[in-house]
Amino acid sequence: MQQLDTGSRRIMLLSDTIRRLIRRRATVNLLKIVGKTHAADLALVFKSLNAIDGRALFELLPDPETAADVLSEMEEDVRRDYLDRLAPERLAGIFQEMSTDDAASILDEIEDDERREEILELMEDEDSDGVEELLTYPENTAGRIMSPDFLALPETMEAAEAIRELRKASEAEMVFYVYVVDDEGRLEGVVSLRELVTVAPDKILEAIMSREIIHVQPHVDQEEVARLVARYNFLALPVVDEQRKIIGIVTVDDVVDIMRDEATEDILKMVGTSEEDIASSSSFRSARIRLPWLFVSWIGGMLASRIIGHFHEAIAQVTALAAFIPVVVGMGGNIGIQSASITVRGLATHRIDPQRAWPYIGKEVGAGLLLGIVYGLLLGVASAVLYWGDPLNIRLGIATGLGISTSMVLASIMGSSLPLLFNRLRIDPAVASGPFVTTAIDVIGVSAYFLIATLVIL
Amino acid sequence: MQQLDTGSRRIMLLSDTIRRLIRRRATVNLLKIVGKTHAADLALVFKSLNAIDGRALFELLPDPETAADVLSEMEEDVRRDYLDRLAPERLAGIFQEMSTDDAASILDEIEDDERREEILELMEDEDSDGVEELLTYPENTAGRIMSPDFLALPETMEAAEAIRELRKASEAEMVFYVYVVDDEGRLEGVVSLRELVTVAPDKILEAIMSREIIHVQPHVDQEEVARLVARYNFLALPVVDEQRKIIGIVTVDDVVDIMRDEATEDILKMVGTSEEDIASSSSFRSARIRLPWLFVSWIGGMLASRIIGHFHEAIAQVTALAAFIPVVVGMGGNIGIQSASITVRGLATHRIDPQRAWPYIGKEVGAGLLLGIVYGLLLGVASAVLYWGDPLNIRLGIATGLGISTSMVLASIMGSSLPLLFNRLRIDPAVASGPFVTTAIDVIGVSAYFLIATLVIL
């Protein structure tokens, strides 16, 4: 994490200037600024404007192409206003200027089915066909995020001819690779643009292509695509159908976005909320999203309270036992969350191999044991000293010390093994680990503490 | 998150085969497999082998170039064994084959200063000079991760000549852009390789270059570099010195790794641990890393227990009050962690603008209030019903209901505002938010609950 960087300061100044110019209706100056500002920066400016200023600025975008770039770069919640308000004709014109994959993912954000259909119909057939094809693949798969604008050339073509083809292919996105296909259109190899320009012009593609080509099928999860691109340092990954015919490419710029979004998603899932929560500015929506996770946790808390209820005589006799509930439960919860977070992230980045997890669990539980001993001694001594005058103070110390140690060890066992268990059961460990781990630890920690306490004290 | 994907299954099979062949000393077959396997895959295989098998496989890598690729792709903890054991002469030969930025970052992992110096001295001067220059920049900055292998050509050069230069520059990493500089070597523009091959050969670079070029200085944080690359969809970002002379480029493949590592770092920091913990297999090291964070939390727990101690008379009278401590403190803790996680991630991805944070805090606290009311009613009714026979049951219900609502609202205020406060104070919100938020919520939640309870019941 880094604080206020020069980049965001620049955007802030730009936003302030634009806001002032809009208020003063200084259209000429605004047009000048809009003309020289990168679409990605304009998208950030829109984020900081209120709805009225934003709409005024949007009207000043010089052409559908710029509007397409800006809309593509906007965050989903900022974009929603424009998707809802602009006339379908205008949106169709804008979508036509977008790359096919962006158009598909943004069209998919329009919740009103009729409106979406209308826009698609208003688009030129050649543009809407590509978009509709991508929309047939499920969300978060290679098929949905691939770009159908790539260059596939026959094996027998000469390098010079390939370069001529390249000149014609103005649509193709980020052409840094040329894909080489056989007579049937099956993917056979890849030539980087750099190789293409550095070989003799009469070399045929087959002679210079690399045959070690990694490809994915369209149903593959986008996270796996991102992992492959990261692992092999690709700039693009070809997507092929069952006959190994190339149907699209996923480019590295999309992978960078996926990496960031998937990390955010994992963090938010672990605390029982979602991307929608962070994007939304409505307290109601946010509360509704978090309600279920908190409910699991509430049930756990109620269970813990029933368990404590069973020990009410012990508490009435030694009220100090109640005083140490937060530290015993809290320390268990903390070490449990540490183990769970490490495990979830380790699985996501493939640092932890779920097939060889025992040494890993062993290490986690070992750490839990060491820390349990440290904090057991600390709490035991502290509580014996704090209740010095009390005749039961030594027993209290033993009870709290043993209680916190047990709670921490059990928490580290559950924190490290539950995410692995969920993974084995094909439940997303990130979504399942947070509430279950916390709740299980609350219940088990409280039970262990009071069982030990009654054994030691009464 | 996605479960067992085809990629990792493939690696697992490969590892099993290689392990079997090593045991059978089937060198010829091993060499054949090593020859056709991508270095990134071999690096994953090394991870799953034990130290002895791993060393045996390393000896079979055909040349220093392959060894360099494999070593670059390995995870830090797997690589350590080789950095510690291989002869300095051999390592020097391997480092020479690495890209300069990889060599710098991996050399930096060698903790023994003398050994590192020895390796640098054994390397060819032209290689070690580049590495040593990168090592003068602090960790996690653009200067440390940039590659000094780029192509900078004068403005007056013709496209055809530029392509000839490209052919000569075999060292340059991922040449997809050619940087254009003036007589003094100052960065003036950029031409993509694609533009270069598609224009007339006699065009001069000045005429075709794009002048809208975003660059960074070497001290800029790598996270900011990653953000710029993600925002503008670059494949590389030039690094310039104070005179705007280009000194290196950061390539998108490094950015993909940074994105993933920074997300991991943020998650781990929030729960009070670090990358070192996830990479280490020692329980002792892991416990030592987590000890301080847990100590802050322990202090908070002790404070909470002192506060509860003050209310011992109330507890002796109504032991049910103690029973509800876990649910009141737990629900506060949960909603606080939700708010804190959203805020930390929102700041990291620039979704939340720290200068305009009030509406955001308002939304979070609104959600806390709504959820507080829901769970207040739920707990109030539940506790009144559970203690039906007790004459104080209605008052107990009011106390627990109000207690949990207050605790949840206070938690959402602290969870959303503390990370912003830390950010303002230039303390990393990720590192500071976890323990402080949890601890503050424990203490304040318990205090609020018992204050309300004594007012309502006694």
Side-chain angles (χ1 to χ4, degrees):
Chain A
M1 261 304 319
Q2 192 230 0
Q3 277 76 36
L4 252 196
D5 51 81
T6 49
S8 58
R9 213 173 296 137
R10 192 169 57 80
I11 300 294
M12 224 187 308
L13 291 174
L14 183 64
S15 301
D16 290 342
T17 310
I18 287 182
R19 201 176 300 115
R20 216 169 332 115
L21 293 174
I22 292 173
R23 300 276 154 89
R24 280 181 16 214
R25 300 180 199 284
T27 313
V28 178
N29 286 334
L30 276 169
L31 283 172
K32 209 183 287 170
I33 290 189
V34 167
K36 352 183 255 202
T37 307
H38 194 290
D41 292 339
L42 283 176
L44 288 173
V45 168
F46 274 97
K47 191 183 153 179
S48 76
L49 296 180
N50 65 32
I52 295 167
D53 288 350
R55 283 174 214 151
L57 181 62
F58 199 85
E59 290 311 315
L60 292 174
L61 298 178
D63 47 51
E65 211 184 317
T66 312
D69 288 345
V70 171
L71 220 50
S72 302
E73 298 288 342
M74 274 182 192
E75 282 170 22
E76 196 175 331
D77 49 324
V78 179
R79 183 162 52 219
R80 193 172 296 132
D81 187 43
Y82 300 95
L83 295 182
D84 289 349
R85 296 190 145 257
L86 293 178
E89 292 74 18
R90 176 121 183 248
L91 279 174
I94 294 173
F95 278 118
Q96 270 169 208
E97 299 298 329
M98 275 185 201
S99 66
T100 315
D101 51 329
D102 285 349
S105 84
I106 294 174
L107 254 170
D108 200 44
E109 291 170 13
I110 299 178
E111 280 163 26
D112 179 346
D113 291 347
E114 275 179 41
R115 188 174 163 83
R116 195 171 52 232
E117 283 307 315
E118 193 185 347
I119 294 168
L120 275 168
E121 265 169 41
L122 287 163
M123 286 169 69
E124 306 264 342
D125 283 352
E126 72 174 309
D127 292 313
S128 62
D129 287 354
V131 172
E132 282 175 295
E133 209 214 303
L134 294 197
L135 286 173
T136 62
Y137 297 106
E139 252 191 292
N140 303 330
T141 61
R144 180 63 83 83
I145 55 170
M146 70 189 179
S147 159
D149 306 318
F150 57 87
L151 206 59
L153 300 173
E155 295 169 301
T156 50
M157 188 177 270
E158 289 178 2
E161 172 78 24
I163 292 174
R164 274 194 296 276
E165 284 295 323
L166 200 66
R167 284 194 190 131
K168 284 192 257 165
S170 64
E171 278 265 325
E173 213 187 326
M174 294 184 105
V175 194
F176 295 104
Y177 298 126
V178 167
Y179 297 96
V180 187
V181 293
D182 68 9
D183 301 345
E184 317 279 312
R186 281 188 298 255
L187 183 62
E188 289 294 333
V190 63
V191 177
S192 85
L193 186 46
R194 185 177 176 203
E195 288 162 305
L196 206 57
V197 300
T198 54
V199 297
D202 62 344
K203 279 262 188 191
I204 63 167
L205 297 184
E206 195 180 9
I208 54 174
M209 72 186 184
S210 153
R211 287 166 195 279
E212 262 190 65
I213 184 160
I214 288 175
H215 48 75
V216 291
Q217 294 211 343
H219 61 267
V220 169
D221 192 283
Q222 63 174 10
E223 212 177 343
E224 173 64 11
V225 174
R227 241 185 322 248
L228 289 172
V229 169
R231 186 185 301 163
Y232 302 108
N233 298 334
F234 293 142
L235 296 179
L237 191 68
V239 182
V240 300
D241 65 11
E242 274 121 48
Q243 282 79 48
R244 224 177 64 236
K245 280 186 188 141
I246 177 163
I247 55 175
I249 54 169
V250 179
T251 51
V252 71
D253 56 321
D254 294 328
V255 166
V256 169
D257 297 339
I258 292 168
M259 284 262 162
R260 197 184 39 198
D261 293 348
E262 295 274 351
T264 302
E265 199 188 298
D266 272 8
I267 294 176
L268 298 182
K269 269 186 192 163
M270 280 203 70
V271 298
T273 183
S274 71
E275 184 67 19
E276 208 190 323
D277 188 356
I278 211 173
S280 157
S281 55
S282 148
S283 295
F284 280 94
R285 200 180 302 166
S286 172
R288 211 189 50 219
I289 296 168
R290 298 186 206 173
L291 203 72
W293 187 72
L294 289 172
F295 190 71
V296 173
S297 192
W298 187 80
I299 296 283
M302 289 308 288
L303 258 172
S305 85
R306 299 316 298 147
I307 292 164
I308 299 176
H310 276 288
F311 295 96
H312 63 97
E313 283 169 26
I315 294 171
Q317 223 173 314
V318 191
T319 56
L321 280 181
F324 292 104
I325 294 174
V327 69
V328 170
V329 174
M331 293 294 282
N334 285 336
I335 200 168
I337 285 285
Q338 289 184 326
S339 291
S341 302
I342 291 186
T343 312
V344 168
R345 192 66 193 158
L347 287 168
T349 58
H350 281 206
R351 269 206 121 114
I352 296 169
D353 178 351
Q355 304 300 307
R356 297 191 176 82
W358 286 111
Y360 168 75
I361 294 180
K363 170 223 156 187
E364 281 298 314
V365 177
L369 190 65
L370 288 168
L371 289 164
I373 290 170
V374 170
Y375 284 103
L377 288 172
L378 216 53
L379 185 64
V381 171
S383 46
V385 170
L386 285 169
Y387 288 83
W388 192 254
D390 196 310
L392 286 172
N393 75 322
I394 299 294
R395 287 173 179 231
L396 179 70
I398 295 172
T400 57
L402 275 180
I404 201 169
S405 303
T406 314
S407 157
M408 288 175 80
V409 172
L410 292 173
S412 66
I413 295 175
M414 288 186 289
S416 55
S417 57
L418 283 182
L420 285 160
L421 177 69
F422 282 120
N423 188 60
R424 179 80 41 113
L425 299 175
R426 306 201 161 239
I427 302 170
D428 185 339
V431 76
S433 301
F436 282 95
V437 171
T438 334
T439 305
I441 286 169
D442 272 14
V443 174
I444 294 183
V446 159
S447 312
Y449 172 48
F450 276 100
L451 273 177
I452 291 170
T454 42
L455 286 176
V456 173
I457 297 188
L458 301 182
Chain B
M1 260 305 322
Q2 194 228 358
Q3 277 73 37
L4 252 194
D5 51 79
T6 48
S8 58
R9 211 171 300 135
R10 192 168 57 78
I11 300 295
M12 224 185 310
L13 291 175
L14 184 64
S15 301
D16 290 341
T17 310
I18 288 182
R19 201 175 301 114
R20 213 166 336 114
L21 293 174
I22 292 173
R23 302 276 155 89
R24 281 181 16 215
R25 300 181 200 283
T27 312
V28 178
N29 286 332
L30 275 169
L31 283 173
K32 210 185 284 170
I33 290 190
V34 167
K36 344 183 261 202
T37 307
H38 194 289
D41 292 339
L42 283 176
L44 288 173
V45 168
F46 274 99
K47 192 185 152 176
S48 77
L49 296 180
N50 65 32
I52 295 167
D53 288 349
R55 283 174 214 152
L57 181 61
F58 199 87
E59 290 311 314
L60 292 172
L61 298 180
D63 47 51
E65 209 183 320
T66 312
D69 288 346
V70 171
L71 219 51
S72 301
E73 297 288 342
M74 274 182 190
E75 282 169 23
E76 196 176 330
D77 48 324
V78 180
R79 181 162 52 220
R80 193 171 298 132
D81 186 44
Y82 301 93
L83 294 183
D84 289 349
R85 295 190 147 257
L86 294 178
E89 292 74 18
R90 175 121 184 248
L91 279 174
I94 293 173
F95 277 117
Q96 269 169 209
E97 298 299 328
M98 275 186 202
S99 67
T100 315
D101 51 329
D102 285 348
S105 84
I106 294 174
L107 254 170
D108 200 44
E109 291 169 13
I110 298 177
E111 279 162 28
D112 180 345
D113 290 347
E114 274 179 44
R115 186 171 164 85
R116 196 171 51 233
E117 283 306 316
E118 191 184 350
I119 294 167
L120 274 168
E121 265 169 44
L122 288 163
M123 286 168 69
E124 307 265 341
D125 282 352
E126 71 175 308
D127 292 313
S128 62
D129 287 353
V131 171
E132 281 175 296
E133 208 213 302
L134 295 197
L135 286 173
T136 62
Y137 298 105
E139 251 191 293
N140 302 329
T141 61
R144 180 63 85 84
I145 56 170
M146 71 190 180
S147 157
D149 306 318
F150 56 87
L151 205 61
L153 301 174
E155 294 168 301
T156 49
M157 187 177 271
E158 288 178 3
E161 172 78 25
I163 292 174
R164 276 194 295 276
E165 284 296 321
L166 200 66
R167 285 194 188 131
K168 283 190 257 165
S170 64
E171 277 265 325
E173 213 189 326
M174 292 187 108
V175 193
F176 295 104
Y177 299 125
V178 167
Y179 296 96
V180 186
V181 293
D182 68 9
D183 302 344
E184 316 280 312
R186 281 186 300 253
L187 183 62
E188 288 296 331
V190 63
V191 178
S192 83
L193 186 48
R194 185 176 175 205
E195 289 162 304
L196 206 57
V197 300
T198 55
V199 297
D202 62 345
K203 280 260 187 191
I204 62 166
L205 297 183
E206 195 180 9
I208 54 173
M209 74 186 182
S210 154
R211 286 167 195 277
E212 265 189 62
I213 184 160
I214 290 175
H215 47 75
V216 292
Q217 295 212 341
H219 61 267
V220 169
D221 191 282
Q222 63 174 12
E223 213 178 342
E224 173 64 10
V225 173
R227 239 182 327 245
L228 289 172
V229 169
R231 187 186 300 163
Y232 302 108
N233 298 334
F234 293 141
L235 296 179
L237 191 67
V239 182
V240 299
D241 66 11
E242 273 122 49
Q243 281 80 47
R244 227 178 59 240
K245 280 187 188 144
I246 178 164
I247 54 177
I249 55 170
V250 179
T251 52
V252 71
D253 57 320
D254 294 328
V255 165
V256 168
D257 297 339
I258 293 168
M259 284 260 160
R260 198 185 37 198
D261 293 348
E262 294 274 351
T264 302
E265 198 189 299
D266 272 8
I267 294 176
L268 298 182
K269 269 187 192 163
M270 280 204 69
V271 297
T273 181
S274 70
E275 184 68 19
E276 208 190 323
D277 189 355
I278 210 172
S280 156
S281 55
S282 148
S283 294
F284 280 94
R285 200 182 301 168
S286 173
R288 211 189 50 218
I289 295 168
R290 298 185 206 173
L291 202 75
W293 187 72
L294 288 172
F295 190 70
V296 173
S297 197
W298 187 78
I299 294 284
M302 290 308 287
L303 257 172
S305 86
R306 297 317 297 146
I307 292 164
I308 298 176
H310 276 287
F311 295 95
H312 63 97
E313 284 169 25
I315 293 171
Q317 224 173 315
V318 190
T319 54
L321 280 181
F324 293 104
I325 294 174
V327 69
V328 170
V329 174
M331 292 295 280
N334 285 334
I335 200 167
I337 285 285
Q338 289 184 326
S339 291
S341 303
I342 292 186
T343 312
V344 168
R345 192 66 192 156
L347 287 168
T349 59
H350 280 206
R351 270 207 120 112
I352 296 169
D353 177 351
Q355 303 300 306
R356 296 190 177 82
W358 286 110
Y360 167 75
I361 295 180
K363 172 223 154 185
E364 280 297 314
V365 177
L369 191 63
L370 288 167
L371 290 165
I373 291 171
V374 170
Y375 285 102
L377 288 172
L378 215 54
L379 185 64
V381 171
S383 46
V385 169
L386 284 170
Y387 288 83
W388 192 254
D390 196 310
L392 285 173
N393 77 319
I394 299 293
R395 286 173 181 232
L396 179 69
I398 295 172
T400 56
L402 275 181
I404 201 171
S405 302
T406 313
S407 154
M408 288 175 80
V409 172
L410 292 174
S412 66
I413 294 175
M414 288 186 291
S416 55
S417 58
L418 283 182
L420 285 160
L421 178 69
F422 282 120
N423 189 59
R424 180 79 41 111
L425 299 175
R426 305 197 162 243
I427 302 169
D428 186 340
V431 77
S433 300
F436 281 94
V437 171
T438 334
T439 305
I441 285 169
D442 271 15
V443 174
I444 293 183
V446 159
S447 311
Y449 172 48
F450 276 99
L451 272 177
I452 291 170
T454 42
L455 286 175
V456 173
I457 298 189
L458 302 181

